[in-house]
Amino acid sequence: MSVASAGAALETSGLCKSFGALAVAQDIDFRLERGVRHALIGPNGAGKTSFVNLVTGVLEPTAGMIRIDGVDVTRLPQAARVKRGLVRTFQISALFRRLTLLENVTLAIAEREGTAGGLVRPAGRYRNVIEEGHTLLETLGLAADALRPVNELAYGRQRLADIAVSLGLKPKVLLLDEPAAGVPSGETGAIIDMIERLPAEIAFLIIEHDMDLVFRLAERITVMVQGAILIEGTPQEIAADPHVRAVYLGTEAE
């Protein structure tokens, strides 16, 4: 695997994907700097999900390159990319719903440490893993829910739990896949608060339709249209761009 410049946490160059005559990713050059809050937006069918599936290894590109921390991971499987620090949350929570929140987080930490297969043994042998899980939940303000089964949590709390489990893997890059999807408006504030408390060294890419959330959280925004990048810039630049206003935010957007 070749090593490129070490500045970016995640980078793609010339990334393409086609299904026959249908191109879902067209020559995408993208760069996510370390520790930066970046948003990926675009209308339905813009290719956002396809791009994330390419980056995470769900799809294999037709052409192009993907790098994590400067290392070419284009042909690596999904699990190997997670080991290199690329972690994705999902629009529909993928938690073990009958297990407690703490058990879910502990499993993620144990997977990271390579000890997940041994958790059937007495828990006392893995006190350090359990203690790390408790500490993480306390840091995120979720300690009160630690011993509650996930299926008993309100949906907004489940989305917070999803992020907590992802952090248990100690990501370098966290892909937040519509973290507010399906969450009542009164609960989105808690999600924003948690994201704002993420460790500064983590770069995150948020894929989201909620523009209020995007413009509150993101330092950089990339707009996709028809499988290609239309523009990238600061939130102020994106909001003021006439092409973005026309194709996505609406010509009357403020």
Side-chain angles (χ1 to χ4, degrees):
M1 292 183 289
S2 63
V3 178
S5 61
L10 173 67
E11 186 176 12
T12 70
S13 55
L15 195 63
C16 300
K17 178 64 179 179
S18 297
F19 296 98
L22 176 64
V24 296
Q26 303 183 60
D27 199 27
I28 297 175
D29 294 331
F30 175 81
R31 185 178 176 92
L32 175 61
E33 302 292 345
R34 288 185 177 87
V36 169
R37 297 174 178 178
H38 201 123
L40 181 66
I41 67 173
N44 289 332
K48 302 183 300 294
T49 298
S50 294
F51 174 70
V52 173
N53 285 340
L54 287 165
V55 166
T56 55
V58 176
L59 293 176
E60 184 174 339
T62 306
M65 185 175 291
I66 303 160
R67 303 182 183 93
I68 300 172
D69 262 350
V71 178
D72 181 2
V73 299
T74 310
R75 303 304 170 190
L76 289 184
Q78 295 179 61
R81 299 185 198 198
V82 172
K83 290 291 186 183
R84 289 190 172 273
L86 179 66
V87 177
R88 177 186 187 181
T89 66
F90 285 89
Q91 291 170 283
I92 301 174
S93 182
L95 301 168
F96 293 100
R97 298 176 58 81
R98 293 186 179 181
L99 298 183
T100 67
L101 174 54
L102 178 60
E103 287 170 330
N104 271 275
V105 171
T106 299
L107 281 170
I109 296 169
E111 178 65 27
R112 185 195 79 216
E113 297 293 331
T115 60
L119 287 181
V120 294
R121 300 171 185 168
R125 296 188 58 181
Y126 301 95
R127 186 175 301 277
N128 59 328
V129 173
I130 296 170
E131 289 178 350
E132 182 180 339
H134 266 299
T135 300
L136 176 59
L137 293 177
E138 288 174 354
T139 301
L140 297 175
L142 294 173
D145 294 325
L147 300 182
R148 294 184 63 190
V150 168
N151 60 9
E152 293 182 3
L153 300 177
Y155 186 70
R157 302 294 283 180
Q158 290 185 30
R159 299 315 306 267
L160 296 177
D162 196 16
I163 296 173
V165 169
S166 299
L167 292 175
L169 295 168
K170 282 197 174 176
K172 298 175 183 177
V173 177
L174 182 59
L175 306 181
L176 294 163
D177 196 351
E178 295 199 28
V183 176
S185 58
E187 298 179 23
T188 57
I191 292 175
I192 291 172
D193 289 343
M194 176 180 282
I195 294 173
E196 288 181 331
R197 294 203 305 269
L198 291 178
E201 65 272 15
I202 297 177
F204 78 69
L205 179 64
I206 182 170
I207 302 92
E208 183 57 70
H209 288 289
D210 185 332
M211 289 297 98
D212 288 338
L213 189 150
V214 166
F215 280 92
R216 175 169 172 177
L217 291 174
E219 299 169 283
R220 304 284 297 177
I221 298 175
T222 295
V223 183
M224 287 191 68
V225 177
Q226 296 180 343
I229 291 178
L230 174 67
I231 189 174
E232 179 185 322
T234 66
Q236 295 77 17
E237 291 168 340
I238 297 302
D241 187 272
H243 299 293
V244 176
R245 293 164 68 89
V247 303
Y248 188 77
L249 297 176
T251 55
E252 300 302 321
E254 294 295 333

